Amino acid sequence: MKNVTDSFLCLSYWPSAGSFGFNTDILATNPINLSVVLGVLVFFGKGVLSDLLDNRKQRILKTIRNSEELREGALEQLEKARARLRKVETEADQFRVNGYSEIEREKLNLIKLIYTTLEQLENYKNETIRFEQQRTINQVRQRVFQQALQGALGTLNSCLNNELHLRTISANIGMFGEMKDIK
Amino acid sequence: MNILLCSVNTFKRLYEISSVEVGQHLYWQLGGFQVHAQVLITSWVVIAILLVSAILVVRNPQTIPTFGQNFFEYVLEFIRDVSKTQIGEEYGPWVPFVGTMFLFIFVSNWSGALLPWKIIQLPHGELAAPTNDINTTVALALLTSVAYFYAGLSKKGLAYFGKYIQPTPILLPINILEDFTKPLSLSFRLFGNILADELVVVVLVSLVPLVVPIPVMFLGLFTSGIQALIFATLAAAYIGESMEGHH
């Protein structure tokens, strides 16, 4: 009886409990079901997953392209702004140069004007001085004449008697008569 | 007498072979501790899958991503979105934690459901998803507890404990109880879902091996994915809740 049961046990290929090993019983290890489950999972999951990941990738690509375009646009605008800046700078320089020459010219003009005005004033001053001089000289002459006449009048009044007076009057009449003859 | 002994022995051996062993784990002796070796082995496999795939894919990051890089970036955006919704503005430092929770639980659940673990036979116990062991889920839940305590304490200091009397002081025992029920519910929810699904599949396979378990396996994939998402979302929600209300 023991032999029968022993051979029965040998037929079932169970490894002895208590050791490592491989279980080759396909009904217990379930590989058929597992492969079916895995197959269905991969089949449906792959479609869904690649859709999701493709969407994500497209979104990333679009964002990158967008930012590249924005960068290009920004660079272009920067270039334009720089060119404008340069143009405005040259114009400003020109204005500055023109302005300086204008200022120089104005300065020279002003200086000339001032000089002429100064000269004129000088002339006026000199004329006034001369005029004053003449006036004072005339005044002095007049005074001198007045003094001389007064002296002469005094002398005449002091040493004039009737005879001298008669002789002078007859001399003057004779002079007047000659002048009237000449005319 | 001999015949009786023999038959008892054969019955015992037959019983050993035809039993579906649940709960008997493979133990390793490390120092004074007994560790659950099969959970460790499957955890290592899950960690290896995560690390190797991450390293391989993110080795040469391009501006226009390759397929794998795109996929990982998508997963990262998803996790960031979950953290941001639950935690709010300061979600940045917590993304790695929430992401680790989500990815570890998700990959371990799906690896338990999809990989043919039963091909490798252990002396005791069997390989399956690491989250079907209560130790794993309790560890994850305790980590979440520590995380939300740390979040609250580091943001508010000792004023964090003021939240226990927050709406009214009458609710103080309920608030304290919450600190115990949160990790409890997290761990048991995950453990129960994963173990139950595995058991259903195993039982169905032992009854009707060929086609009938397939819908249940799909259901298992769906719910285990949802469970990973729920765990991560709840972890983020607890962290956000303990950090909020800072004036």
Side-chain angles (χ1 to χ4, degrees), chain A residues 7-19:
Chain A
S7 52
F8 174 66
L9 287 172
C10 287
L11 277 175
S12 62
Y13 294 105
W14 290 108
S16 48
S19 71

Side-chain angles (χ1 to χ4, degrees), chain A residues 14-15 20-21 23 33 53 56, chain B residues 70 73 77 119 121 209-210:
Chain A
W14 290 108
F20 286 92
N23 188 349
N33 292 334
L53 294 181
R56 191 166 178 274
Chain B
N70 205 0
E73 284 180 7
E77 266 182 20
I119 287 186
Q121 200 177 26
L210 274 186

Side-chain angles (χ1 to χ4, degrees), chain B residues 72-209:
Chain B
F72 271 72
E73 284 180 7
Y74 175 71
V75 169
L76 179 66
E77 266 182 20
F78 176 72
I79 296 174
R80 265 200 195 145
D81 186 54
V82 166
S83 329
K84 186 164 182 180
T85 324
Q86 298 300 328
I87 301 182
E89 272 317 309
E90 306 177 5
Y91 70 97
W94 294 104
V95 170
F97 176 73
V98 173
T100 309
M101 289 284 136
F102 175 70
L103 284 176
F104 180 75
I105 298 175
F106 189 82
V107 174
S108 63
N109 292 350
W110 271 35
S111 79
L114 291 176
L115 292 184
W117 287 114
K118 301 237 173 28
I119 287 186
I120 305 178
Q121 200 177 26
L122 300 176
H124 295 285
E126 52 193 12
L127 295 173
T131 37
N132 79 341
D133 189 36
I134 187 66
N135 297 302
T136 315
T137 57
V138 166
L140 293 170
L142 284 180
L143 274 177
T144 307
S145 255
V146 167
Y148 81 76
F149 260 101
Y150 172 75
L153 284 175
S154 73
K155 183 153 184 206
K156 299 189 204 166
L158 286 177
Y160 171 70
F161 293 109
K163 88 162 170 54
Y164 285 104
I165 51 175
Q166 216 23 60
T168 73
I170 300 180
L171 293 181
L172 177 65
I174 293 186
N175 282 330
I176 297 184
L177 191 63
E178 221 178 27
D179 273 334
F180 292 98
T181 57
K182 275 181 186 167
L184 200 72
S185 74
L186 278 176
S187 56
F188 271 93
R189 183 186 302 117
L190 184 59
F191 166 65
N193 264 291
I194 304 306
L195 183 65
D197 172 67
E198 251 177 49
L199 277 181
V200 167
V201 171
V202 160
V203 166
L204 277 182
V205 162
S206 73
L207 290 179
V208 186

Side-chain angles (χ1 to χ4, degrees), chain A residues 69-84:
Chain A
E69 276 173 26
L70 282 176
R71 183 172 172 269
E72 290 300 324
L75 277 177
E76 259 183 42
Q77 284 198 346
L78 181 68
E79 272 311 311
K80 258 187 256 169
R82 260 204 212 126
R84 235 194 346 232

Side-chain angles (χ1 to χ4, degrees), chain A residues 110-123:
Chain A
L110 215 68
I111 289 179
K112 247 181 276 172
L113 202 65
I114 290 179
Y115 269 139
T116 46
T117 320
L118 216 64
E119 272 180 23
Q120 271 183 6
L121 285 177
E122 276 284 336
N123 289 345

Side-chain angles (χ1 to χ4, degrees), chain B residues 42-76:
Chain B
T42 47
S43 303
W44 292 337
V45 172
V46 167
I47 294 173
I49 292 176
L50 283 170
L51 281 179
V52 165
S53 62
I55 290 177
L56 277 182
V57 162
V58 194
R59 225 178 343 182
N60 242 346
Q62 316 270 348
T63 314
I64 304 193
T66 58
F67 181 80
Q69 185 182 338
N70 205 0
F71 175 66
F72 271 72
E73 284 180 7
Y74 175 71
V75 169
L76 179 66

